[in-house]
Amino acid sequence: EDTLIALLSGIAAQVGQYLERRRAEELTVELAKTKDEFLALVTHELRNPLSVITAATALLDEDLESLTTEQQHEQLRTIGRNAQRLSVIASDLLDLARLEAGHVAIDPVETDLSAILGEALAAHREAAAGKNLTIVVNVPERLALHADPHRLRQVADNLLSNAVKYTPTGGTITVTAAADDNTDEIIWAVTDTGIGIPAAERPHLFRRFYRASTARERRIPGTGLGLVITRTIVERHHGSITLTGTTGPGSTFTVRLPRSKPDTTAAPGAPG
Ligand code: ADP
């Protein structure tokens, strides 16, 4: 009789554990769904009013005579600047929600990374010059790979704008890229001499909304979304992104991307 009771209570315990696990799984799925819905709601509800503000600001801007005092001009610029910042946050949130939900198609085509880096560098030259930053570029004339050019440009823009933003006046930004024939990868890095990220905080860096103490202490504005988006794009290309290098001042972000289609089964085209 004792063994029967022991057996039954053993079964009861296992059933209990099973039910608990099932409930936990259900809750995780529910939570993920709620999170997605929340993100989508916030993003859409933010974006519409913001575009109205931006449009109204632009209209006022065209009718500057109707503003009489310098204070009014300054207020208009403040509205414009803040609307701009909020739209960046809203579109980052939307982008991330779509990427994470798998709603963003990655369209890989034959792409030249050197050209993409060139365009991205040109777009950030002015901001870099404004802070008297030196830009060193060590990239071959052409670096072909199979990837989505628009998404790679987004990665380049994110890394470069961070490098500019987190490097004080007079610093240096170095961009390198090269093909690694052994692994059939392209290795690409953006290095700066900026404020850096403390070693203890590095493991959290690619977490949503995470901002390092170095950035917060200096009150440099940001959302902690850019690197998450960047990593998601790189991983959807079957690549990786890491923060490498010293823990002293400055940072190096290294991106590795496979050169060919991941599912390519064709034999190498060596002649003979
Ligand atoms: P944001 O810059 O909007 O805060 P990111 O996701 O791009 O968001 O970066 C997350 C955090 O990583 C930043 O807040 C900052 O603390 C740190 N970070 C990113 N890039 C650099 C860099 N080049 N130098 C120093 N810190 C950086």
Side-chain angles (χ1 to χ4, degrees):
E1 195 179 304
D2 277 354
T3 32
L4 188 67
I5 290 172
L7 193 72
L8 282 178
S9 60
I11 291 173
Q14 281 195 9
V15 169
Q17 278 172 14
Y18 168 78
L19 288 177
E20 255 171 50
R21 247 194 339 263
R22 272 290 299 273
R23 186 69 197 130
E25 279 163 18
E26 275 170 23
L27 279 177
T28 311
V29 172
E30 259 172 53
L31 197 64
K33 238 179 78 184
T34 312
K35 201 183 67 188
D36 284 351
E37 285 166 0
F38 172 74
L39 221 47
L41 178 88
V42 169
T43 311
H44 291 298
E45 296 309 303
L46 265 177
R47 265 165 49 118
N48 294 339
L50 268 174
S51 51
V52 175
I53 294 174
T54 311
T57 316
L59 276 179
L60 263 180
D61 211 24
E62 281 169 15
D63 185 25
L64 283 179
E65 301 92 77
S66 66
L67 301 181
T68 47
T69 68
E70 177 51 29
Q71 199 184 10
Q72 287 172 328
H73 286 275
E74 184 50 37
Q75 280 160 353
L76 180 63
R77 283 193 290 270
T78 305
I79 295 171
R81 242 191 345 262
N82 283 282
Q84 182 61 29
R85 249 200 91 199
L86 279 173
S87 341
V88 170
I89 296 173
S91 74
D92 274 358
L93 274 171
L94 185 63
D95 218 24
L96 186 61
R98 283 189 185 138
L99 272 166
E100 286 189 339
H103 292 330
V104 172
I106 301 286
D107 288 322
V109 290
E110 266 315 292
T111 302
D112 178 14
L113 181 66
S114 300
I116 292 172
L117 290 179
E119 285 163 21
L121 279 161
H124 291 87
R125 274 246 144 75
E126 206 182 303
K131 292 178 83 178
N132 219 356
L133 303 177
T134 304
I135 297 186
V136 178
V137 182
N138 191 351
V139 176
E141 196 137 308
R142 209 183 128 72
L143 267 177
L145 83 163
H146 206 78
D148 186 323
H150 299 295
R151 292 292 163 181
L152 284 198
R153 172 65 194 271
Q154 209 179 342
V155 170
D157 279 338
N158 266 331
L159 294 181
L160 285 173
S161 66
N162 278 351
V164 171
K165 185 162 73 165
Y166 295 115
T167 304
T169 309
T172 301
I173 295 173
T174 309
V175 178
T176 60
D180 182 339
D181 289 330
N182 292 323
T183 57
D184 200 29
E185 278 177 327
I186 281 180
I187 301 173
W188 148 35
V190 178
T191 300
D192 64 61
T193 58
I195 62 173
I197 296 142
E201 299 179 28
R202 291 181 174 205
H204 312 298
L205 206 61
F206 294 91
R207 247 176 35 202
R208 208 191 287 202
F209 304 121
Y210 187 82
R211 306 205 65 221
S213 57
T214 34
R216 280 182 283 120
E217 279 158 10
R218 289 167 180 78
R219 298 183 181 283
I220 302 173
T223 58
L225 288 172
L227 280 181
V228 187
I229 293 172
T230 300
R231 189 179 66 171
T232 309
I233 293 172
V234 169
E235 286 181 349
R236 297 245 351 237
H237 281 86
H238 307 280
S240 66
I241 176 167
T242 45
L243 174 61
T244 51
T246 61
T247 57
S251 316
T252 297
F253 286 89
T254 303
V255 177
R256 288 165 183 275
L257 293 166
R259 248 193 315 190
S260 40
K261 275 190 239 185
D263 56 348
T264 291
T265 47

